[in-house]
Amino acid sequence: MVRRPFSGVFTSGQHKGVIGSNNNNEEDGLTYVDLKIRSVSNGEVENLSLQDVAPSKLRQLQNAMRGNNTLVKLNLCQNKLGNFEAWRLASFLRQNNSLTHLNIMMNRIGTSGVKMFAVALTVNKTLVELDLYNNKMGWEGYGAMAKALKVNKTLRRLDLRLNKTSTVAAKFDVKQASVDLLDINTSIRFLELDPFEGGDMIEEILYHRRQVVYALHS
């Protein structure tokens, strides 16, 4: 399956209020990452993308995000995020009412971290895209997500590919859980899984769902 580009990936300077990829510019002795963090703390930025950031700076960013309701798109892919960072992001999602896109692909988030996101999705009502591509959640994490999506009615796209759901039993469970989920959740439009987890079958189901929605609104 061809990987679709995540719509929450941003480039520097293309839109007002967007802070893009890291560079070495400095202002008043602050690094560019410091300036990004300050902008978040002051509620001055809507779209933020940070990669390969030092753990200490990530902690500062997550502290700056407390109470923030101006961020709309957040891209933290490739930052070696683990379960602790996932817990802090999930806590932010439980309280936030502005973020619509969260990209945390290609990190190190495991089962316990994904379970925290699942809990957050049961109460969050603004997030429409969540990219967990290439993490380490395992089939238990997928099960937690499937349960959360039986409650959540706002998420439109979820990418769970390359998450090490590798045993034979897990493959069957993931496929069946996905089918059961789609019987209940009618709002999701893209649920991206590896082919051996039923990804092709799920995509076909959702393709027809999108066509129906398009026909109703055309």
Side-chain angles (χ1 to χ4, degrees):
M1 185 183 296
V2 177
R3 173 162 171 75
R4 298 183 183 86
F6 180 70
S7 60
V9 175
F10 327 108
T11 55
S12 180
Q14 290 183 339
H15 304 286
K16 182 178 179 181
V18 174
I19 297 183
S21 58
N22 306 354
N23 62 40
N24 295 319
N25 292 341
E26 295 187 1
E27 175 184 307
D28 299 329
L30 298 175
T31 67
Y32 196 54
V33 173
D34 290 327
L35 293 175
K36 294 179 182 184
I37 294 171
R38 186 171 70 180
S39 295
V40 171
S41 182
N42 294 338
E44 299 170 346
V45 62
E46 294 181 357
N47 300 349
L48 177 64
S49 180
L50 283 170
Q51 285 77 51
D52 299 316
V53 178
S56 61
K57 296 299 182 182
L58 284 172
R59 288 192 292 271
Q60 291 178 32
L61 172 64
Q62 290 181 314
N63 288 336
M65 288 166 57
R66 292 177 182 172
N68 180 291
N69 280 304
T70 57
L71 270 177
V72 177
K73 295 183 178 182
L74 178 61
N75 176 6
L76 293 177
C77 71
Q78 294 182 289
N79 275 294
K80 300 179 182 178
L81 302 179
N83 289 330
F84 178 71
E85 292 81 10
W87 171 75
R88 298 193 73 179
L89 282 171
S91 297
F92 170 73
L93 281 180
R94 286 198 298 269
Q95 302 171 9
N96 179 266
N97 58 19
S98 65
L99 198 71
T100 61
H101 297 69
L102 177 59
N103 182 355
I104 44 178
M105 62 177 275
M106 301 177 71
N107 281 292
R108 300 175 179 176
I109 299 170
T111 298
S112 60
V114 171
K115 285 182 176 180
M116 295 168 195
F117 277 113
V119 172
L121 287 177
T122 63
V123 295
N124 180 279
K125 299 184 184 305
T126 58
L127 199 68
V128 296
E129 292 197 16
L130 176 59
D131 196 331
L132 280 161
Y133 175 86
N134 197 3
N135 277 278
K136 301 178 182 295
M137 73 178 192
W139 66 270
E140 289 185 68
Y142 181 86
M145 275 290 176
K147 290 180 180 178
L149 290 180
K150 291 179 180 180
V151 178
N152 181 287
K153 303 301 181 186
T154 54
L155 201 67
R156 296 293 181 267
R157 177 174 176 263
L158 177 62
D159 193 336
L160 299 177
R161 286 174 293 172
L162 289 186
N163 266 283
K164 303 192 186 324
T165 52
S166 58
T167 68
V168 174
K171 294 175 192 176
F172 175 79
D173 289 343
V174 167
K175 184 183 295 186
Q176 189 58 53
S178 301
V179 174
D180 294 344
L181 161 65
L182 295 181
D183 285 339
I184 297 173
N185 184 308
T186 59
S187 62
I188 196 130
R189 298 290 178 262
F190 296 92
L191 176 58
E192 301 190 71
L193 308 173
D194 292 311
F196 67 80
E197 295 170 342
D200 293 339
M201 177 185 66
I202 299 303
E203 171 57 22
E204 183 176 354
I205 294 172
L206 290 175
Y207 172 80
H208 290 294
R209 176 181 291 183
R210 294 193 298 270
Q211 295 305 303
V212 169
V213 171
Y214 174 79
L216 289 174
H217 290 86
S218 61

